Amino acid sequence: MSYGRKRVLVTGGAGFLGSHLCERLLAENCDVLCVDNFFTGTKENIAHLIGNPYFELIRHDVTFPLYVEVDEIFNLACPASPIHYQRDPVQTTKTSVHGAINMLGLAKRVGAKIFQASTSEVYGDPEVHPQPEDYRGSVNTIGPRACYDEGKRCAETLFFDYWRQHALRIKVARIFNTYGPRMHPNDGRVVSNFIVQALEGRDITIYGDGSQTRSFCFCSDLIEGFIRLMNSGDDVTGPINLGNPGEFTMLELAETVLRLTGSKSKLVFMPLPADDPKQRQPNITLAKQVLGWQPTIPLEEGLARTIAYFRERVGH
Ligand code: NAD
Ligand code: UDP
Ligand code: UDP
């Protein structure tokens, strides 16, 4: 038994962000239940936690009901990379929507506080820049990214309806692009793609002309934001942006990765995927005010740490 320890459920706990969160919660003396169906997550991400008596791994798909007894729930289960979430788009929507319903039903039954990993994608291809939380977004409801964007939007709706209807304690974070060790090397996201390509001496694939922008947050900064949001007063529901406002074009990112790896890879230009947002930068005024949170790790430092991780994996 673990008297006095908070029991925390992390769905998607074997994924990139989930594994860092499980680690952090164990360091804070929580009893952690990690639930994952290993769609994009790996056992390797959490192998170092197996054997810790306060860590429990459950293979489970959140689209099915789950009966456990916990104090807090972090709902992260959902593929996050476009190539993965577009592989089985119906399952992606089900994971966000049915997964949210099941986890909210669980939270309601046991009286747990519940956190939702929402996304900057709820803003779609934004007409307002940078994006504050009250911007309602510009999402193409029938495009290839909609399974993810609309699934996450509907999950937010469910969170706020359970809050209004059942007085659940909810915490909704809108996460902007985050990177770091344990991103899957074949995950298809830009940071892992560029680093692996640079380390292997392969061409760096720039989609479009590379002028589109993203704002990249290092994973440890983001997890600190998760913990602060979960520990905030019950009046703080979010949605609240969590991300690093430092904004870069994909060409700038490629050049930085080439410099930090010392790679001689060439840039190649490929077609821009449909509905690819042109620019993205979080307005984090609310997170600063309410959580006293802001990122501390600049892009070059975070990239250097991520490159060190991938160097070991790709055998350089
Ligand atoms: P990830 O793909 O590494 O992790 C997602 C995890 O969820 C994986 O372990 C996967 O196996 C699991 N999963 C997927 N479907 C499931 C299901 N039906 N049942 C149980 N488990 C399931 O991605 P990540 O980057 O760690 O993202 C974690 C969460 O944060 C996701 O909800 C994502 O939408 C959100 N998010 C991430 C970013 C980012 O930049 N990393 C940005 C915005 C939002
Ligand atoms: N649920 C769950 N675990 C629980 C409680 C509920 O997975 O501990 C699921 C349940 O299967 C249901 C969903 O959560 O489909 C929503 O539950 P809620 O009680 O809100 O709705 P209802 O059961 O009345 O449809
Ligand atoms: N991108 C790129 N080359 C790649 C992978 C992605 O130029 O090999 C671009 C992609 O078109 C997008 C940006 O990088 O404009 C971020 O893509 P990612 O899939 O990482 O995240 P998201 O589009 O969901 O923000």
Side-chain angles (χ1 to χ4, degrees), residues 12-24:
F16 159 51
L17 294 175
S19 61
H20 288 288
L21 178 61
C22 288
E23 212 171 77
R24 171 73 187 262

Side-chain angles (χ1 to χ4, degrees), residues 12 14-18 36-41 60-63 76-80 91 95 117-119 148 152 175-178 189:
F16 159 51
L17 294 175
D36 208 293
N37 70 349
F38 298 106
F39 179 58
T40 52
H60 177 79
D61 181 330
V62 294
T63 62
L76 273 60
C78 185
Q91 171 68 10
T95 294
S118 189
T119 171
Y148 184 74
K152 291 283 190 179
I175 305 163
F176 285 65
N177 299 59
T178 302
R189 281 183 273 189

Side-chain angles (χ1 to χ4, degrees), residues 72-284:
E72 291 179 356
I73 303 167
F74 284 91
N75 187 35
L76 273 60
C78 185
S81 157
I83 56 163
H84 287 135
Y85 70 64
Q86 290 173 18
R87 183 173 302 157
D88 185 350
V90 173
Q91 171 68 10
T92 299
T93 305
K94 281 188 189 170
T95 294
S96 278
V97 177
H98 293 187
I101 291 173
N102 286 329
M103 292 308 110
L104 288 161
L106 168 61
K108 188 180 102 185
R109 182 178 60 79
V110 300
K113 193 166 18 170
I114 180 165
F115 170 104
Q116 168 65 0
S118 189
T119 171
S120 54
E121 298 281 337
V122 301
Y123 301 125
D125 192 2
E127 306 111 326
V128 172
H129 192 75
Q131 294 82 53
E133 288 83 354
D134 58 6
Y135 172 55
R136 293 189 184 174
S138 166
V139 174
N140 174 6
T141 59
I142 57 171
R145 294 174 82 101
C147 58
Y148 184 74
D149 303 5
E150 294 294 350
K152 291 283 190 179
R153 288 172 68 98
C154 183
E156 285 198 7
T157 305
L158 285 160
F159 268 69
F160 279 83
D161 282 333
Y162 270 79
W163 172 67
R164 275 184 289 263
Q165 204 173 325
H166 300 297
L168 242 60
R169 291 173 297 157
I170 61 161
K171 306 280 174 189
V172 176
R174 289 188 180 150
I175 305 163
F176 285 65
N177 299 59
T178 302
Y179 68 100
R182 299 201 199 121
M183 290 184 93
H184 201 286
N186 302 325
D187 169 291
R189 281 183 273 189
V190 69
V191 173
S192 43
N193 270 10
F194 285 4
I195 292 177
V196 173
Q197 289 162 347
L199 291 176
E200 293 183 341
R202 291 190 283 121
D203 292 343
I204 306 275
T205 52
I206 310 262
Y207 300 161
D209 63 5
S211 65
Q212 72 272 34
T213 67
R214 292 293 186 275
S215 303
F216 298 103
C217 186
F218 190 66
C219 52
S220 59
D221 277 334
L222 186 79
I223 299 300
E224 176 65 28
F226 282 16
I227 299 291
R228 288 192 190 207
L229 178 54
M230 190 58 124
N231 291 341
S232 61
D234 289 347
D235 56 322
V236 180
T237 57
I240 190 158
N241 289 339
L242 294 179
N244 191 324
E247 185 182 357
F248 299 87
T249 66
M250 294 311 101
L251 276 177
E252 287 170 331
L253 178 70
E255 279 153 14
T256 309
V257 169
L258 285 176
R259 183 160 45 78
L260 293 176
T261 52
S263 168
K264 304 248 179 313
S265 289
K266 307 238 169 326
L267 305 186
V268 293
F269 292 86
M270 300 176 71
L272 190 68
D275 294 337
D276 198 274
K278 179 73 190 141
Q279 54 182 8
R280 194 182 291 141
Q281 186 200 114
N283 176 329
I284 58 163

